[in-house]
Amino acid sequence: MSEQREFQAEVSRLLDIVANALYTEKEIFLRELISNASDACDRLRYDAIAKPELIKGDTEFKIRVWFDTDARTLTISDNGIGMNREELIKNLGTIAHSGTRELVKQLNGDKQKNSNLIGQFGVGFYSVFMVASKVEVLSRKAGDDKGWIWISDGHGSYTIDESLKDERGTVITMHLKDEAYEFLIEERLKNVIKKYSDHINFPIVIGEAKDAPAVNTASAIWMRPKGDITPEQYKEFYRGVSGTIQMDEPWMTLHWHAEGNFEYHNLLFIPAMKPFDLYDPRRPNSAKLYVKRVFITEGVDGLLPPFLRFVKGVVDSEDLPLNISREMLQSNPLVAKMSTAITRKILGELEEKAKSDIKDFENFWALFGPVVKEGLYDAHQYRDQLTRVARFYSSKAEGLTSLEEYVSRMKEGQEQIYYLSAGSVEAARHSPQLEAFNAKDIEVLFMTDTIDEFWIPMQNDYKQKKFKSITRGSADLSKIKSDKKEEPRDEKAKAGMAGFLSQMKEILKDEVKDVTLSERLVGSPVCLVAPESDMDIHMQRVLKKNQHYDGKHQHILEVNEKHPVIQRLKTLSENAANAETLRETALLLLDQARIVEGEPLKDPAGFVKRLNHAIEKGLLSS
Ligand code: ADP
Ligand code: MG
């Protein structure tokens, strides 16, 4: 009995977009189907290690492609693991991955944007509807005695029915659309297979003849010497393992063979684009693990640390037992050792790259720097290497700088690594708290990623130099020698401010913890800082945004006694008749400091009123 079923809403949506030919390169459907066929063979080969009877009588895995010019059909078959009824329904009728489902929800009428989004996650099987008006999937799961046929025209629903199938595996028949007849030409098929699927580990043959030669090289690309592999071949393999449709190229290709205590082959890539699931809370890594050319599994926890989860590709071990269960991998000491060796090697390459080509490194760091820095927070064993890889923007360096370079530029008498937390490099550059540091030519690192707020307290220091936030606690720079000429501070004037400060404090007592004289301001009248024992203001905001925290913290308002506004205000404050002006100006100054800090104003309307009042007065007197 044939049963008709609806596609999951997101699938229908995706199919509409796919059918309207998003990609100029329709031919990639063949790559997707071949990659699925190859996965199916991989999975059965793995299962057959424990249950050899699954492949009894048919141990040669193969992918076949053939066509019928009269019927205008193209067919691709494999003798892999196959699918039963439930699997056909789940795999071809729904989108299993919740992250992908979320992305599909974002798709809208904007073709270009859709294509960018889809490029990031790939449409896999559904890409057949770019070329086919109707698709039949006939499948029989290895070990089962029944076959099933799934049929759909890609519009809203599909049917599923029991069907005869003599052998295990899957046969997909596509009724081609008029504009896709080019895939009925053998040469065209050959070229497409060569182009996208040469690296597939199983022979791909065209035609039904038993002895047809394979079109692809059908050998594990990572086993071949580097010199034999063209950049084109690396690129196609990368696209295969990274699951992206978009034409991005790997930013870095890491191909090596390790021998010694244990032996493995590696072909890993760092993408040039941000994967859409980079911030998936599970932080899964996506490297594939093989044992002696047999695919075992992907995304093994512990094969790569979470801070390298953007690395794609293959690790092929010569030493792990083939029959290792996937569950045991995580706790396997050999996997842990390989992981350490691979991680060290990758970090080493990154370190080299940062030294040899910082411009190019900047591209990488913009995408993945925040992820790599997670390691500074939670991967203690790589601390030294990670601090050598990490790069920062600063108040003085042109581009990115390293901690080592920063320390080498520290001034005589400077004992701490100064940093400023801010939402962006631009915001950091304009922070009033930076003024005294700029005036004394003391460099300050800019920390603009959320993760910075976490790893800095964790690391505490670098080469015995403590990290010190310049928006928290005091800022006594007097011990640091400066090449610039300094104006000595007028201690008498400072002492004379005491009365003014306590008046300000009285006015603002519900808003700030204290009002003090500033050591860090030069051109601005006021700024906000956090008490030494408290969190940075920026950190408080980050935590609030992520809803990890809703505590109440009071800031300290610092005033610059050399600034004309403050000087004038102090003079006014000496006459009780000016109490209202003092109050209004104090509130205005506080709000000004909040704005610069990126803090929300408690009473924006009140602020605007005060500001207009001040402008009015200014205009009237000019
Ligand atoms: P992906 O390959 O990224 O999982 P696809 O859309 O390409 O996504 O395929 C969806 C799922 O359908 C696969 O994960 C697999 O479980 C199943 N599938 C597709 N083609 C085959 C096949 N030839 N043999 C067995 N299973 C298949
Ligand atoms: Mg696929």
Side-chain angles (χ1 to χ4, degrees):
M1 245 281 290
S2 164
E3 184 193 350
Q4 181 163 354
R5 302 177 66 99
E6 306 281 308
F7 283 115
Q8 189 187 35
E10 287 85 6
V11 174
S12 276
R13 188 140 172 211
L14 191 58
L15 285 173
D16 283 343
I17 290 163
V18 170
N20 289 319
L22 266 168
Y23 308 110
T24 39
E25 297 176 63
K26 285 183 196 290
E27 64 198 30
I28 59 104
F29 79 95
L30 200 54
R31 172 184 77 186
E32 294 301 317
L33 294 188
I34 288 175
S35 131
N36 286 348
S38 158
D39 289 350
C41 295
D42 266 337
R43 284 162 60 200
L44 182 57
R45 186 163 63 177
Y46 174 79
D47 286 356
I49 297 166
K51 291 191 208 156
E53 66 275 14
L54 287 177
I55 55 169
K56 215 172 144 208
D58 182 12
T59 53
E60 304 279 308
F61 290 101
K62 208 172 244 184
I63 299 167
R64 291 185 183 282
V65 179
W66 70 93
F67 53 90
D68 180 331
T69 330
D70 297 328
R72 291 169 179 174
T73 56
L74 176 66
T75 304
I76 164 167
S77 79
D78 65 70
N79 55 353
I81 194 158
M83 286 176 275
N84 59 27
R85 182 177 174 278
E86 288 67 42
E87 286 164 337
L88 280 166
I89 291 173
K90 183 169 154 286
N91 296 337
L92 307 186
T94 65
I95 297 176
H97 192 267
S98 62
T100 313
R101 263 205 315 272
E102 279 312 306
L103 270 179
V104 172
K105 285 196 183 131
Q106 292 172 30
L107 299 174
N108 53 33
D110 182 343
K111 274 200 180 182
Q112 187 53 48
K113 221 165 137 197
N114 286 347
S115 130
N116 285 343
L117 266 178
I118 291 183
Q120 288 177 44
F121 60 84
V123 287
F125 170 78
Y126 301 118
S127 61
V128 295
F129 290 102
M130 293 193 293
V131 294
S133 53
K134 182 170 139 190
V135 178
E136 297 165 23
V137 181
L138 175 61
S139 197
R140 179 169 142 189
K141 181 140 183 172
D144 283 5
D145 49 12
K146 255 195 250 181
W148 295 91
I149 186 156
W150 178 104
I151 303 176
S152 180
D153 61 4
H155 294 298
S157 67
Y158 57 90
T159 61
I160 192 157
D161 201 359
E162 205 176 313
S163 176
L164 274 180
K165 189 171 188 313
D166 294 337
E167 282 141 1
R168 68 163 198 255
T170 303
V171 182
I172 300 180
T173 304
M174 290 151 267
H175 297 262
L176 295 178
K177 294 179 181 176
D178 297 354
E179 66 266 29
Y181 287 169
E182 63 194 86
F183 300 108
L184 299 174
I185 301 166
E186 180 158 347
E187 268 315 295
R188 176 85 174 106
L189 289 171
K190 259 192 192 151
N191 286 337
V192 177
I193 294 170
K194 263 271 177 229
K195 179 168 170 195
Y196 295 110
S197 309
D198 193 54
H199 62 268
I200 294 289
N201 282 341
F202 304 98
I204 305 167
V205 299
I206 295 188
E208 286 177 282
K210 270 248 165 302
D211 50 357
V215 178
N216 59 328
T217 310
S219 78
I221 180 173
W222 57 89
M223 299 299 292
R224 284 154 53 192
K226 279 187 196 184
D228 289 2
I229 305 169
T230 65
E232 233 0 88
Q233 286 170 326
Y234 271 133
K235 212 158 75 186
E236 279 318 322
F237 181 71
Y238 160 70
R239 285 177 189 158
V241 286
S242 71
T244 54
I245 282 186
Q246 241 167 31
M247 297 293 127
D248 79 316
E249 302 191 4
W251 177 75
M252 188 184 259
T253 300
L254 303 138
H255 186 183
W256 78 89
H257 172 201
E259 275 173 309
N261 293 338
F262 43 98
E263 186 179 359
Y264 58 89
H265 291 81
N266 253 0
L267 178 48
L268 297 170
F269 303 94
I270 295 175
M273 275 180 16
K274 207 185 250 182
F276 74 94
D277 57 356
L278 190 57
Y279 291 102
D280 184 320
R282 291 173 301 129
R283 305 201 292 164
N285 77 66
S286 47
K288 295 187 188 219
L289 178 68
Y290 281 69
V291 172
K292 299 186 193 74
R293 261 61 66 210
V294 176
F295 173 70
I296 305 294
T297 185
E298 67 187 304
V300 189
D301 272 349
L303 183 57
L304 284 177
F307 69 82
L308 290 180
R309 60 185 175 275
F310 49 84
V311 174
K312 311 275 179 185
V314 164
V315 176
D316 189 351
S317 162
E318 297 293 330
D319 311 301
L320 283 171
L322 256 176
N323 58 1
I324 187 163
S325 82
R326 294 188 178 118
E327 294 67 38
M328 294 302 290
L329 283 169
Q330 275 182 54
S331 51
N332 185 290
L334 201 60
V335 173
K337 276 188 199 147
M338 260 195 327
S339 170
T340 308
I342 294 168
T343 304
R344 293 214 177 287
K345 175 93 178 174
I346 296 174
L347 289 176
E349 298 279 334
L350 287 174
E351 195 183 330
E352 271 310 301
K353 186 76 175 178
K355 281 202 188 115
S356 64
D357 189 350
I358 187 70
K359 268 271 143 255
D360 193 23
F361 189 81
E362 216 167 330
N363 296 325
F364 161 78
W365 198 247
L367 293 181
F368 302 118
V371 177
V372 174
K373 283 190 284 187
E374 286 175 17
L376 285 169
Y377 175 68
D378 65 11
H380 194 77
Q381 61 162 321
Y382 302 113
R383 174 187 168 155
D384 289 347
Q385 267 191 300
L386 283 165
T387 49
R388 290 200 298 270
V389 170
R391 290 293 184 279
F392 306 89
Y393 290 99
S394 91
S395 59
K396 281 173 72 179
E398 281 266 311
L400 288 167
T401 189
S402 65
L403 289 174
E404 190 180 5
E405 289 160 345
Y406 177 92
V407 168
S408 74
R409 286 190 295 260
M410 276 170 52
K411 295 265 180 245
E412 207 185 316
Q414 179 183 350
E415 268 153 18
Q416 293 164 311
I417 297 173
Y418 292 111
Y419 72 90
L420 170 63
S421 290
S424 68
V425 172
E426 263 318 285
R429 270 194 212 293
H430 298 120
S431 288
Q433 291 94 339
L434 203 58
E435 289 169 358
F437 292 84
N438 282 345
K440 278 196 108 170
D441 199 33
I442 299 166
E443 185 169 9
V444 174
L445 295 178
F446 297 153
M447 301 294 176
T448 52
D449 294 315
T450 306
I451 187 68
D452 295 327
E453 311 287 345
F454 295 90
W455 72 259
I456 294 173
M458 197 76 180
Q459 294 290 344
N460 198 29
D461 59 23
Y462 166 77
K463 294 200 175 154
Q464 280 101 50
K465 308 272 188 283
K466 287 226 176 338
F467 289 101
K468 164 83 177 126
S469 163
I470 68 158
T471 60
R472 201 172 67 216
S474 63
D476 183 5
L477 305 180
S478 58
K479 288 203 199 74
I480 304 176
K481 284 230 171 70
S482 168
D483 318 327
K484 293 195 178 170
K485 236 183 71 186
E486 284 179 75
E487 254 181 73
R489 276 195 92 146
D490 186 341
E491 292 301 324
K492 241 175 82 190
K494 269 170 76 174
M497 295 294 284
F500 169 70
L501 290 179
S502 60
Q503 284 189 60
M504 289 283 282
K505 210 168 141 177
E506 181 56 30
I507 296 168
L508 301 175
K509 66 173 184 288
D510 293 334
E511 306 292 327
V512 296
K513 191 170 175 177
D514 204 357
V515 180
T516 62
L517 287 186
S518 184
E519 305 281 341
R520 62 196 111 210
L521 292 175
V522 176
S524 301
V526 288
C527 72
L528 284 171
V529 298
E532 183 66 61
S533 60
D534 217 338
M535 271 185 254
D536 266 334
I537 301 179
H538 179 69
M539 166 74 151
Q540 294 172 23
R541 211 164 37 243
V542 165
L543 291 185
K544 262 186 204 155
K545 205 166 74 197
N546 297 323
Q547 286 165 0
H548 291 310
Y549 157 85
D550 58 359
K552 250 188 131 38
H553 288 257
Q554 284 205 318
H555 308 327
I556 295 170
L557 183 72
E558 289 193 350
V559 303
N560 174 6
E561 86 276 2
K562 285 172 292 189
H563 195 281
V565 168
I566 301 298
Q567 288 179 348
R568 175 78 184 131
L569 201 58
K570 180 193 173 269
T571 310
L572 288 174
S573 74
E574 282 152 13
N575 184 341
N578 294 322
E580 189 54 23
T581 310
L582 180 63
R583 201 188 108 80
E584 292 295 294
T585 314
L587 290 171
L588 201 50
L589 286 170
L590 173 62
D591 276 351
Q592 166 186 133
R594 283 182 176 144
I595 290 174
V596 172
E597 199 53 47
E599 287 276 284
L601 298 184
K602 286 199 183 142
D603 173 18
F607 167 73
V608 170
K609 224 161 97 191
R610 281 177 207 112
L611 182 62
N612 282 333
H613 188 66
I615 296 174
E616 208 180 299
K617 276 206 325 221
L619 290 177
L620 287 179
S621 66
S622 64

